[in-house]
Structure formats: C-alpha cells, structure tokens
Amino acid sequence: MASTPVPGTPSAEVGTAIREFCAWQYPQCGAEKFGIGETGLAEILADVVSRRDPTTAGTDIPGFLASIKLEELVLARACAAGNDYAWEVFLTRYRATFYGSAYKIVREESQARELADSLYAELYGVDAKGQQRTSKLLYYQGRGSLQGWLRTVIAQEYINRYRSVRRETSLDEAVDGGKQFESRPPDIAVLDPRVEAAVSTELAALDAEERFLLASYFLDHRTLADIAKVIRVHESTISRKLERITSGLHKRIRKQMMQSGMSARESDEAIQDIDVRDLRVNVKETLRQETPGGAFYKQKGERG
Amino acid sequence: MNPELCKTVRDALARQTSGEAHPSADVLASFVEQTLPLEERRLVTDHLARCADCREVVFLASSAAEEQVAEDQKQEQELMPRVPVRRISPALQAQAKLAATFRATPAAATPAAAPKETSGRKWSLRLVWAVPVAAALVLSFGLFVQKRSLPSAPQLASNATRSAPGQPPPEMQHEIAAQSSPPEALMKLPEEKQPKAAKAKGAPPTTAHSTLAYEDTLGVAKARPMAPPPKSAAPSEAADMQSNLYVLSQKAAAPPVSTRNTFAESATSDNAPAGALVATPQTSARGLSAAHTQWRITIDGQVEHFVAGAWIPALTNQTTIFHTVAVVGNDVWAGGEGGALFHSIDRGQHWTRMSLANASGAEAGMVTSIHFDDVQHGVVTTDSGTHWVTSDGGATWTKQ
C-alpha cells in the first residue's frame, strides 16, 4: 500500500530503531488488516520521525516511537490511502463524535453540519475539482489521539471560517450595534522607557505556564473553569496561581523601576492604569472632519 | 478573588508575539490530552502564551473534549446506577461490603428503602433523598454489627477443628482459595467445575455473599463473619470444591495476584463467566468520576469492559493473552504475556501499547500485576519478579 513519501532518508540508527519497533509492533497494530505491510509501516514511521522536531520532541527515538498512537496512525494512513475497510472502521468509530465535536465547537446545528461535511471531504481527500486525492489525514502524526486531532482540526477550521466572514458585517447589524461610524482606536499611550524595560524584563522572567495563565485570563478573558480544563487542575488552583503571579509581578516591576531611578510614587503611578493625561491625543487631528468648509451652522447661514 | 493586572502589563503581554511556526494540530491535540513530553509541553505552553490563535484552538478543542467526556460519563451513570466497591482502605471496603450485605438482605432493608423496591417511578423519585440516608444508616449499622460479631481467635480455631482436622472451615476454605489463588489458576480451571464450585456455596445469586466481589486484600476478607456457610453442600459438590481447591493449591507457585485486582466469584455475577478477574477503579484524585467502570480478564485472557449492562471485549485486535487489568480513574492498564502492557487514558476507548523497556532491553516476561497509586506513579510486576516502576504515567520505566 502506498504511503506518504518519506521526506528524508532516516539515519542508520533511526532506521534500525524503526525496523525493530515495526517487527515488535506490526502484529498488534492492526496494519495487516488494512493492507499495510511491515515495510509500509516502517515508511509511515520514518515519515513521522522525520517530521518531528528533534529540538522539542527529544532525540530518544524508541521512546518517541513508543509514545505514538500506532493503531490510530495506521488507521489514518490507511484511510488516506483509500482503503475501504479502514474507512468503514473510521466511520464507525469517529463519525458520531466528529459531528458531535463540530456541534460543540460551533454551537449551531446547520453551521456545524456544514463545517463537518466540508472537513469530511478534506479528510477523504477530494479537492474542489474532485480530481486529486490528498487526504488531510496524512497530517495526523499519531502524537495525540485521532479523536483529539479531529477536534483540533475542526476548531482550526472553525476559526479560519469565522475570520474570513468576520469583516462581512451587514450594515443593519452595524447600525444596531452603533458601529456604523466607529471611531479610530485611541493612540497608544507613551510609556516611560524605564517602565517598558521593567515590564518586559519581568514578563520574560515568568514561567511559560504563568504567561499562558495571564494571557488566557486577562487577554482572552477565559474563565477559571476553562483554564482549569486545559491545565487539568482545579479552578481554585488557577485562582491562587493568578493571584500569586499578578501580585508578585507588580511587586517585581515596581522594584525594577525603583532600581532604574524612579521614585516610589512614580513607580506606583506607572503600574496603575494609564492616566488620561498620559495619552498622546492630537485634538486637532481628531476633530478634523472629512467635509470641507465651515461648520454646519455657517453653511446654513450662508445659504439662508 | 479577583486578580487585577495593570494595563501596562496587559499591553506588554499582548505585544508578545510568537516568531516561530504554529504547532501542528497533532501537537496541539496532544497538548490538550497532556501526552506531550515535559520539555515539548513547556515549549508549546510558551508558544500558547504568545499566540492568541493557538490558544483559541486549544480552548475550543478542550471544551469540546470535556463535554464529550461528561456526556459519556453521564450516559454510563444512567446505564449503571449501582455503587461499586471502591478502593479506599481495607476498613472502608469491609464496611461497604457489610452495607451491601444488608442492602441485599430483605429482612435488613430499612423501612425507608422498602417502598422504593415495590413502588413505581414516582416513589423512587420522591425517595431519592432517602438513599444516602439509608446508606449512612446501613453503614453505621454494619460497622456496629461487624464490631460485635467479629469472631475471636479461639472461636476461629474451634471452628477450624470442628470442620476438618488441619483444614479451615468450608466457608473459609472457599474465601482463602479465592484470595490466595493466582488469576491464571482460576482461569485454567476446567469450565464445568466452576459453576459447581459456585453452587457449592449454597447461596442464591441475589445474596450479598454471591454478588460481592472478593477483594484479595488479605486479612480483611478472612475476618468477615457474614459469609454464609454452605447450607447443604452435597458430597459430590463438596468433592468438586475440594478438587478445585486442589487445583488451586497446585498453582501455588504461580505469581501472586495484583492487590489491585478483584475476583468475581464464578457464576456469581449475572454476566460474569467463570473465573473472570474483575478490576474496579482505584481511587485517585481525578478518578472518582469514572468509578462506575468495571473491567475484567476472561478465562481465555481477553480484556472486557462492562458497558451498558453487558461485557464488551476490548483490545480485540490483540493476540496477547492478558493476565491483569488495573483502573485508575479514566486510565486503564492491561498487561499480559510477552511483556505486553496496554494503556488507555479514556476508559478503554483508545489504547496505546506501552514499552516496558530501558537501555538494557525490553521486558519479555508475563505481566502479572499492575499497581498504580495515581495516574503517574505505578509498578508493573512480571512473572520473573521484576518490577518496572514509572513516575510519569508510563512514559518511562525503571527496572528494579
């Protein structure tokens, strides 16, 4: 059975590890029933290994291979190759949850169905002209579960679609929302370079997870429950962590600013929300109107 | 708690951009499922902290996954409303068993619970509040009775002398056999003998003695006083039982049973075949939600899962003969011959073959016991007495 082309020839050491792994796992992974031989399985694994990033995934090839969801990877590749039995298995296992996941993400039945249908076509590998067959399932590398991958793909596709139609707001909606003559966003406040340096330094010093928590909570306005689901800890733990991170961050930034020569009062003011007096607002530019000539009453007076 | 972050810091946070390429859907899915290696997870988290797009994807996928799991659990709870025996402590297990004994005995049923069994759905709904109250009453009563009726050592000794010289009393014989015999010993019993062995107990299937799964935690079950003696075991049946005991004793050299596994008495459960090895979930921080799940190893070494009132085979595409199964929350571990070790993080929906290997080589022996204290920390024992220890949920193993 044809599999995806191998991007690069694996080294002898990697090749040996893959062959050993194949010999061990081939009888158990179900590749045989999908018409994938041991060589085909080795090619699939070589492809997966070559696509992984060694800087992030590590250099332990046997460990990496052992972490792969091999059965699901084999099923995905068999589906991508057009194996009918594999598609039967895939539909039996994932069809219901696929549509269910689409509905849970989109929250609207007709849109969810449309999204899922279009993704199904991509998974099946039918392009717009219905000629070339390049299944999206080839991108599944077996790192997570196939079901999780399908959910992620649905989420990505949903975001792409949302963004593509976001600008197409109807005039009625804009009028209802009072945004038909939306003003420009205000100019960015001028920051003292010492403040900026202190904030940047202290933010960079935070742990990745701490910055993720801050961004999720304060920028994306996620709830504690949402964040807790992703991190897999209790909401109260997230709450405590946020409390600790924010208070510690403010203290360290203030200390950094004072070390750079700012007074205590200046430091306190700097880490408060920006004062309107600090805004760089060009009043004349802001008030300038598109219509040339004088004010409305002047025009009216001239006409009268 | 309402933590605040000043606008200056929020703006600086928002200005952070990720220069590198976005992680693939595969990696993001793995991040959501928490199956990434530690270092890779840290790098992905770092990317997510700076990339609003990927954060959006992760949160959407995570919420969909969470709802899926919640729906599955709800469906399972609706289908299997009975309370399982949980592994909290031997004392609590004994209490739970006592409570089950009295629940299953009509004479001991509390008045509040009695109309629930005979009346219709309305009654059941109205008396929902009575269930926990009745359970608490039954538990305390059971504890009281247990304290009162525990036989002393001289009593046990006299019982033993009455039954047969050098033999424990019949009820103890059966219990000890169930406790000390290895699973494969039971699995290899002749099929026709096992139902007879169950009949030899003389207890109907509805009694607590027959419906209870015998925990193999020694010392607790042995001291249980409520095990009904064989009422009228015919000589031939008694002989069968003796022969069973003999077969079991012949297998004494076999590896010990995992203390996390539970025997279901042959022909005691309505659906359980003879000699099935049933695993109930271990208690863990995040595992109580899946406590209704039951797993077992059948007589022919197949893993089965109790779903929707029936035992469904799992890992059907494997040729491995399984010997042990352990459950910790949503995580299920199954082990068998040839060092085979399978792991599922979603209560058996998907399985991953784990590698019991280190730099010196891979394990080829038979996995006889799997013991996990929590999702991360566990020990797998093989028939050669080798212990493989993991502290990262099975990603790496250390041979001991």
Side-chain angles (χ1 to χ4, degrees), chain A residues 25 28 56 71-72 104 107 140-143 145 159 163 211 220 222 231 239 243 270-271 273, chain B residues 1 3-4 6-8 12 26 30 32-34 40 43 46 53 55-56 65 67 317-318 350 353:
Chain A
Q25 288 289 327
Q28 285 99 29
T56 57
E71 287 175 53
E72 294 170 43
K104 278 159 201 154
R107 304 274 174 194
Y140 176 64
Q141 303 288 310
R143 303 294 307 277
S145 71
I159 291 169
R163 290 205 169 144
R211 278 183 287 117
D220 302 344
R222 299 281 171 194
I231 307 284
S239 171
E243 182 83 45
I271 57 171
D273 280 349
Chain B
M1 200 280 307
E4 289 296 333
C6 70
K7 189 173 183 303
T8 316
D26 214 23
S30 192
V32 171
E33 292 170 353
Q34 299 218 328
E40 194 171 7
L43 290 169
D46 185 56
D53 293 353
R55 277 202 306 274
E56 188 75 42
E67 286 180 19
N317 55 352
Q318 304 299 326
H350 304 92
R353 179 159 186 149

Side-chain angles (χ1 to χ4, degrees), chain A residues 24-25 27-30 33 55-57 66-69 71-72 93-94 97 100-101 104-105 107 139-145 147-149 151-153 155-156 158-159 163 191 195-196 199-200 203-204 207-209 211-212 214-220 222 224 226-227 229-232 239-240 242-243 246 249-250 253 270-274, chain B residues 1-16 23-37 39-43 45-46 48-50 52-53 55-68 71 286 315 317-320 338-339 342 345-346 349-357 362-363 395-396:
Chain A
W24 180 34
Q25 288 289 327
Q28 285 99 29
C29 71
K33 64 185 175 189
T55 56
T56 57
S67 72
I68 287 175
K69 315 273 183 193
E71 287 175 53
E72 294 170 43
R93 283 189 196 168
Y94 298 108
T97 52
S101 299
K104 278 159 201 154
I105 287 171
R107 304 274 174 194
Y139 294 103
Y140 176 64
Q141 303 288 310
R143 303 294 307 277
S145 71
Q147 192 170 337
W149 180 80
R151 271 194 297 263
T152 311
V153 168
Q156 282 180 332
Y158 173 62
I159 291 169
R163 290 205 169 144
L191 270 183
V195 177
E196 201 162 355
V199 170
S200 303
L203 270 184
D207 186 32
E209 188 179 277
R211 278 183 287 117
F212 173 69
L214 289 179
S216 304
Y217 189 78
F218 291 107
L219 298 183
D220 302 344
R222 299 281 171 194
L224 293 175
D226 286 343
I227 301 170
K229 280 174 200 167
V230 172
I231 307 284
R232 292 202 188 177
S239 171
R240 282 194 302 274
L242 281 169
E243 182 83 45
T246 49
L249 191 62
H250 283 154
I253 289 172
I271 57 171
Q272 298 305 316
D273 280 349
I274 295 299
Chain B
M1 200 280 307
N2 188 19
E4 289 296 333
L5 198 65
C6 70
K7 189 173 183 303
T8 316
V9 183
R10 280 204 307 271
D11 289 343
L13 197 63
R15 279 198 300 274
Q16 290 191 330
S24 65
D26 214 23
V27 173
L28 290 180
S30 192
F31 176 85
V32 171
E33 292 170 353
Q34 299 218 328
T35 52
L36 284 178
E39 179 60 18
E40 194 171 7
R41 181 172 178 79
R42 194 189 62 74
L43 290 169
T45 309
D46 185 56
L48 289 174
R50 290 178 285 148
D53 293 353
R55 277 202 306 274
E56 188 75 42
V57 172
V58 162
F59 277 106
L60 275 175
S62 167
S63 65
E66 189 70 22
E67 286 180 19
Q68 196 95 43
E71 274 182 15
R286 66 184 180 93
L315 287 164
N317 55 352
Q318 304 299 326
T319 53
T320 309
F342 289 82
I345 58 167
D346 49 11
Q349 289 183 29
H350 304 92
W351 290 89
T352 308
R353 179 159 186 149
M354 309 302 288
S355 171
L356 273 181
E363 177 60 55
T396 57

Side-chain angles (χ1 to χ4, degrees), chain B residues 274-356:
Chain B
L277 177 67
V278 178
T280 49
Q282 299 172 23
T283 304
S284 72
R286 66 184 180 93
L288 290 177
S289 59
H292 291 288
T293 311
Q294 273 198 323
W295 291 83
R296 71 177 182 189
I297 304 289
T298 62
I299 196 164
D300 54 350
Q302 175 71 45
V303 182
E304 285 188 348
H305 180 197
F306 194 76
V307 181
W311 289 97
I312 310 290
L315 287 164
T316 47
N317 55 352
Q318 304 299 326
T319 53
T320 309
I321 294 174
F322 290 94
H323 291 278
T324 179
V325 61
V327 185
V328 187
N330 290 337
D331 287 41
V332 187
W333 295 83
E337 289 183 349
L341 182 66
F342 289 82
H343 178 210
S344 169
I345 58 167
D346 49 11
R347 288 173 292 150
Q349 289 183 29
H350 304 92
W351 290 89
T352 308
R353 179 159 186 149
M354 309 302 288
S355 171
L356 273 181

